[in-house]
Amino acid sequence: MDIIKTGNLKKSYMLGKVEVKALNGVDVSIQKGEFVAIMGPSGCGKSTFLNMVGMLDIPTSGEIYVEGNDVTGMSSNKRAEYRLRHIGFIFQFFNLFNELTAIENIMFPMMLNRMPNYRKNAQELLNLVGLGDRIHHLPSELSGGQQQRVTIARSLANSPKILLADEPTGNLDTKSSKEIIELFRKLNLERGQTIVMVTHSQEIGEKADRIIHFRDGIIEK
Amino acid sequence: MHLDDIRSALFYSKKDIFKNKKIFLFITAAIIFATANIIIINGFMDGMIRDLADNTVESSLGHLNIYPDQEERFIEGLGIKEEELNALKDVEAYSPRVSASGVLSFKELSASANILALDPDKERGVTKLLDKLDSGTAINSNDGNAILVSYRLAEDLKLDTGDEVTLAFENGNMKEYMIKGIIRTGSQEFDSSTVVMALNEARRHLDIENRASSILVKLSDKEIAGDYKPILMQNLGIKNVKTWKEELEYLMSFTEAYKSFSSIISAVGLIAASISVGIIVYVNVIHKKRQIGIMKALGAKDSFIFTVFIMEALLFGLIGVPAGDIVGYLAIKHMEANPFYDAIMMTWISARFGNYLLYNATAVSFAATLLAGIYPAIKASRIDIIKAIWGG
Ligand SMILES: Nc1ncnc2c1ncn2[C@@H]1O[C@H](COP(=O)(O)OP(=O)(O)O)[C@@H](O)[C@H]1O
Ligand SMILES: [Mg+2]
């Protein structure tokens, strides 16, 4: 079954008086449990696509189906609720809360979700990403790769249906990048986690089940 | 908003507020002083007004004050009324007074004067007027050749105790008197031009037998004056009686101006404190755009973001306001215990503590910190996710 399906998805931005067509009719189907990489040149609409699927923003036209339900046209509160329950985000730049420790960063979305036992669950997620011994470290006390692993642990806090990662290795060295991809693979295999990952790197992209190529707001081939 | 959400918001607000301890202390100090300031200024003003009122009551008013009926100059049948007053259980003392006018002359100077005739023994039972002497001694009931003058009148005529003056009554009678003392009450009206003499002596010159211009009545408790007024009116068959509170109304209306002035002073301090709270929360919001975007991406609703930053403002209040209450309480208690002497009013002035001071200051300060947080909190809740995350 398709966990994500988009139909003629379009998004344009106004830059002053100029209309920028970031997405120009995208039809994509992604299966539950798939690990998909999205690749393409800079500015071709990859992040925009991820933001649409993650309901950070609303499309100009077209449909997005999650598990068969059309999710476009939701109110801002409903979209927040949707993200809270079903989506995990990982961004290129480290996006942890600076004044919260590693474990608190993971507890926070759990608290937002009103989940019980959040401290114990957050600890387990930190163990899962291999940072069980760094729970009380502040982000500034962790390396880039470690921070990104905390971000991944945080993105799993709500047991999301879909994990969306926008160039998660973009700011990491080769070794850390490899570790992150291996972590994704592990999550995908062990938990059946659906992952949609944007990347620049062919080497990283090839680790996924499938690569979707974007160009100028549409899908190539 | 769900209680869990408030707890989650608080979880983040706390971290954000306490991350810079110095700023936290500065801002909290501003709230502490603004709150204490409200308590101190109001407590002081209320204390001063009370002392002024007490002073006025002490020197020139009874708890109840009897006046002639409308259109009449005198209360008639003084003897019978005195008998009635003697019979009333809650009447502790009374003092009939007669007011008349005259002209006081000394050497080549003369000035018009208000003559206040009273029975010193009875007056002492009701007011402390005869204790308010700048110099000399008070008159007694049988003083036929001595009077007291108010200090401004003495100044105008260059009088001193022991001087011999001539007093011309309104009916033309004249007599020489010795100045036995100079009196100062703090009341402008009284101090400007009053001559005080014994009622017995005044009766020899004026047609006031069995009459009075007013009767000052002291009750067992000044708080019963309102309830006792109709009883007195009925028993004595009189119509024109005023309680000390009614008499003080003019004083109270005059103090309204002082009170609004002191409110403005408190408000300025509080506004300064609340603006600093607002600025700090605003700066937090501006510095946190990206993190607010992330919070929203994680599924935080706008209302949650609003709560986070309102809580930050509230946290300042939650710590600063009670601390300000304590500082204000201690200060006012200190002032209460250490009154100072006001030489013009010739009275002691002290601050006065009342629980209402704490309630008012707490409510107002809390409201101010809360208000300060509203704009930054709205600003935060409206931050656009996409712009925030991409650093726009
Ligand atoms: N918020 C925005 N406002 C205006 N233009 C935007 C905005 N976001 C993206 N764009 C434009 O849309 C196009 C696609 O952007 P994006 O999806 O970020 O590309 P990619 O992630 O593939 O590099 C680009 O031309 C970009 O400049
Ligand atoms: Mg991008």
Side-chain angles (χ1 to χ4, degrees), chain B residues 263-325:
Chain B
S263 304
I264 290 170
I265 293 178
S266 328
V268 168
L270 191 58
I271 288 168
S274 86
I275 286 177
S276 51
V277 170
I279 288 173
I280 289 307
V281 178
Y282 185 79
V283 166
N284 278 351
V285 169
I286 296 303
H287 281 172
K288 287 232 142 45
K289 274 189 175 171
R290 195 181 177 83
Q291 307 224 345
I292 292 167
I294 299 294
M295 238 185 248
K296 287 189 172 189
L298 290 177
K301 290 180 185 163
D302 293 359
S303 57
F304 179 84
I305 306 291
F306 178 86
T307 310
V308 166
F309 290 96
I310 266 294
M311 292 278 208
E312 291 197 4
L314 270 180
L315 279 173
F316 282 115
L318 215 59
I319 295 165
V321 172
D325 283 341

Side-chain angles (χ1 to χ4, degrees), chain A residues 51 56-57 77 80-81 83-84 89 91 93 95-100 104 108 111-112 114 154 166, chain B residues 2 4-5 8 11-12 15-16 288 290-291 294-299 301 304 385-386 389-390:
Chain A
N51 293 349
L56 289 181
D57 206 351
N77 269 348
E81 191 115 0
R83 294 193 295 272
L84 187 64
F89 271 110
F91 302 109
F93 299 104
N95 290 295
L96 294 171
F97 299 109
N98 298 327
E99 49 287 304
L100 304 189
E104 288 170 341
F108 191 57
M111 291 167 78
L112 282 177
R114 297 176 200 157
R154 187 181 67 187
D166 195 347
Chain B
H2 200 280
D4 282 352
D5 293 343
S8 309
F11 173 78
Y12 188 84
K15 301 271 181 183
D16 202 19
K288 287 232 142 45
R290 195 181 177 83
Q291 307 224 345
I294 299 294
M295 238 185 248
K296 287 189 172 189
L298 290 177
K301 290 180 185 163
F304 179 84
I385 305 184
I386 302 293
I389 292 177
W390 307 114

Side-chain angles (χ1 to χ4, degrees), chain A residues 76-86 113, chain B residues 299-301:
Chain A
S76 137
N77 269 348
K78 278 268 178 264
R79 282 187 284 131
E81 191 115 0
Y82 169 87
R83 294 193 295 272
L84 187 64
R85 307 247 178 281
H86 305 306
N113 253 307
Chain B
K301 290 180 185 163

Side-chain angles (χ1 to χ4, degrees), chain A residues 11-15 20-23 40-51 57 166-167 198 200 214, chain B residues 384 386-387 390:
Chain A
K11 176 70 182 180
S12 8
Y13 294 105
M14 292 308 292
L15 263 180
V20 181
K21 291 183 173 171
L23 294 179
S42 184
C44 68
K46 306 181 296 290
S47 295
T48 306
F49 176 75
L50 234 52
N51 293 349
D57 206 351
D166 195 347
E167 307 203 30
V198 169
H200 257 107
F214 271 53
Chain B
D384 183 81
I386 302 293
K387 281 188 192 154
W390 307 114

Side-chain angles (χ1 to χ4, degrees), chain B residues 182-201:
Chain B
I182 294 171
I183 206 163
R184 183 203 293 250
T185 62
S187 149
Q188 191 75 17
E189 198 187 347
F190 183 96
D191 287 346
S192 60
S193 57
T194 303
V195 167
V196 180
M197 62 165 42
L199 195 53
N200 287 337
E201 169 60 15

